[in-house]
Amino acid sequence: MAVSIKNSEEIEKMRIAGRLAANVLHMIEPHVVPGITTQQLNDICHDYIVNHQQSIPAPLNYRGFPRSICTSVNHVVCHGIPADKKLKTGDIINIDITVIKDKYHGDTSRMFMVGKPTIQGERLSRVAYECMKIGIEMVKPGIRLGDIGHAIQTHAEKNKFSIVREYCGHGIGNVFHEDPQVLHYGKPDTGLVLEPGMIFTIEPMLNLGKRHVKLLPDDWTVVTKDHSLSAQWEHTNLVTEDGFEVLTEHPDKPL
Ligand code: MF3
Ligand code: CO
Ligand code: CO
């Protein structure tokens, strides 16, 4: 499939959806404390998206996903299903928010440290953030997706962490997941050449141990095979005439 180039009306709608998704992550931050359950976090976000933002939580019923957000704790890599288990101090959690506003999607996720952080959890989360940032800052017309994947992989491996290969970033617009696939590993000077108007996520997943993952019997939850910690950050990004615009940036938290 060809990669879509968004026009200015679509880009404006993506800015709005992106800002709304960023606002949900900002809103939920003070709630991420020891003792809260991921189901409670889901319910707070669901109510905020539906009633305050008058938007749609994209995950709910997406290919049968049963909740409105993804919550991935400790060794969960991605697509964790909110449930009645309480967070405890030292846990690390990724909260992944996708909202639909006026048919367009904004997709962003970040790590939170629950209570007193561990050195390992904080380091893994920081390097995962750096990998996302390094990738985003390379975005401009003419650069290739392989260049970005290579830079992300290099930074992760330099820090002795591994990059998950089975899940990747994606084009996004009035469709949740569309072309291109944005791999977080790869070879320089390969892959799609970026053009202004393309919009895609960059969302590297880093493991403390080996890169391999397995899918739990619920058919959603992805965990590290060796049960080591995993961390992920995600933004939705626009290729501009001379660089990039992060559509899911929050004004209080510049990239
Ligand atoms: N938000 C995830 C992503 O970054 C996708 C979640 S799909 C779901 O692409 F069904 F699990 F919600
Ligand atoms: Co995504
Ligand atoms: Co996401």
Side-chain angles (χ1 to χ4, degrees):
M1 264 290 281
V3 173
S4 78
I5 304 295
K6 272 71 178 177
N7 65 33
S8 53
E9 288 79 34
E10 293 178 291
I11 290 169
E12 195 43 50
K13 288 180 183 181
M14 290 297 288
R15 283 195 181 102
I16 291 166
R19 172 62 69 84
L20 289 168
N23 287 348
V24 179
L25 279 182
H26 190 255
M27 176 280 298
I28 202 65
E29 181 165 20
H31 296 280
V32 186
V33 293
I36 197 162
T37 67
T38 49
Q39 180 66 50
Q40 287 174 304
L41 294 173
N42 176 83
D43 295 349
I44 295 165
C45 290
H46 179 94
D47 177 71
Y48 189 81
I49 293 166
V50 171
N51 297 315
H52 181 82
Q53 300 187 327
Q54 288 162 331
S55 302
I56 298 166
L60 187 59
N61 302 320
Y62 176 77
R63 301 187 184 188
F65 191 78
R67 298 286 187 276
S68 296
I69 66 172
C70 297
T71 52
S72 301
V73 180
N74 294 340
H75 68 294
V76 178
V77 174
C78 62
H79 304 165
I81 302 173
D84 284 325
K85 195 170 150 83
K86 286 181 175 158
L87 296 179
K88 58 181 194 309
T89 192
D91 283 348
I92 64 172
I93 178 173
N94 172 281
I95 300 182
D96 194 335
I97 303 292
T98 311
V99 304
I100 307 172
K101 183 69 167 180
D102 204 4
K103 302 219 159 62
Y104 284 79
H105 293 71
D107 188 7
T108 183
S109 81
R110 57 159 288 188
M111 298 304 297
F112 297 92
M113 305 289 127
V114 181
K116 183 176 148 56
T118 63
I119 300 284
Q120 291 285 59
E122 201 150 59
R123 214 179 136 254
L124 180 66
S125 170
R126 176 177 55 80
V127 176
Y129 171 78
E130 289 166 359
C131 283
M132 176 191 67
K133 181 174 158 95
I134 285 167
I136 292 171
E137 289 181 336
M138 291 173 74
V139 170
K140 63 176 181 185
I143 197 159
R144 304 183 70 167
L145 284 180
D147 300 325
I148 292 174
H150 178 74
I152 290 171
Q153 179 181 12
T154 300
H155 187 67
E157 291 176 356
K158 196 174 70 192
N159 285 281
K160 305 281 182 229
F161 298 134
S162 61
I163 288 279
V164 171
R165 308 225 178 174
E166 288 81 357
Y167 300 87
C168 59
H170 51 93
I172 181 167
N174 56 5
V175 172
F176 193 169
H177 296 104
E178 62 182 29
D179 280 347
Q181 291 197 45
V182 181
L183 304 182
H184 304 111
Y185 61 93
K187 293 197 194 343
D189 218 30
T190 64
L192 181 73
V193 180
L194 299 187
E195 295 173 35
M198 290 178 175
I199 299 181
F200 53 84
T201 71
I202 295 179
E203 48 181 300
M205 284 142 273
L206 275 68
N207 298 346
L208 192 65
K210 294 200 182 355
R211 69 173 180 82
H212 303 96
V213 301
K214 70 177 184 202
L215 185 62
L216 294 190
D218 64 23
D219 264 355
W220 277 107
T221 310
V222 179
V223 300
T224 54
K225 225 176 203 170
D226 62 9
H227 276 73
S228 65
L229 287 182
S230 189
Q232 177 179 32
W233 290 71
E234 173 177 27
H235 273 309
T236 299
N237 313 286
L238 165 69
V239 185
T240 63
E241 293 299 327
D242 59 357
F244 64 91
E245 181 180 329
V246 181
L247 301 177
T248 45
E249 196 169 59
H250 189 280
D252 290 359
K253 289 220 171 61
L255 185 66

